[in-house]
Amino acid sequence: MEIKVSMPSPETALVRLKGKFTIESVTRFRESTSPLISHPVKTILLDFGKVRYIDSSGIGSLILLLNRTSNIGIDMILFDLTKETEDVLNTAHLGKFFRTATIESLEKDYPGIDVREEGRAGT
């Protein structure tokens, strides 16, 4: 899985994920997101628009990050979920725990942050 972290504002981190979020990706995901907890931001936006598959290890990593962010007051938002990823979260009864958003709703809530990426509809 490819992981790209950027800071579109001092208080907001944008984490773009691409590929399969599996056990092979867990360490890299943790290493990429841990600095955001150490030097906390107010919001972490996780872009799932190009995640083709997520397994139980990927879900476990998300739960761990959610617990860590919640404990220190960081808002974590998963956005642009594919139907497959959304189905996995709902099947595991986790859809109600994660805050999710569409690109359009994030553009309204975070007007100064470009959440669109090349290769997506509307870009």
Side-chain angles (χ1 to χ4, degrees), residues 7-101:
M7 298 290 297
S9 84
E11 299 178 342
T12 306
L14 176 59
V15 181
R16 294 197 189 274
L17 307 172
K18 181 179 178 182
K20 295 180 179 180
F21 195 169
T22 62
I23 192 165
E24 290 86 12
S25 310
V26 168
T27 300
R28 197 164 56 253
F29 179 77
R30 187 175 54 246
E31 289 170 352
S32 298
T33 56
S34 286
L36 305 174
I37 309 282
S38 302
H39 182 61
V41 294
K42 290 188 177 182
T43 306
I44 298 174
L45 304 174
L46 292 164
D47 181 354
F48 271 79
K50 293 185 178 179
V51 173
R52 297 187 327 260
Y53 175 80
I54 185 167
D55 70 4
S56 59
S57 297
I59 291 171
S61 294
L62 289 176
I63 293 169
L64 180 62
L65 182 60
L66 180 64
N67 287 337
R68 293 178 69 202
T69 57
S70 295
N71 287 338
I72 58 174
I74 296 174
D75 195 15
M76 185 175 107
I77 304 170
L78 313 181
F79 76 94
D80 198 25
L81 275 71
T82 62
K83 180 174 178 0
E84 293 79 12
T85 301
E86 197 168 5
D87 288 347
V88 168
L89 291 177
N90 289 333
T91 299
H93 304 288
L94 296 171
K96 62 186 172 193
F97 295 105
F98 290 103
R99 182 172 169 202
T100 62

Side-chain angles (χ1 to χ4, degrees), residues 95-109:
K96 62 186 172 193
F97 295 105
F98 290 103
R99 182 172 169 202
T100 62
T102 62
I103 288 177
E104 294 76 16
S105 66
L106 282 182
E107 288 175 329
K108 291 176 186 166
D109 293 341

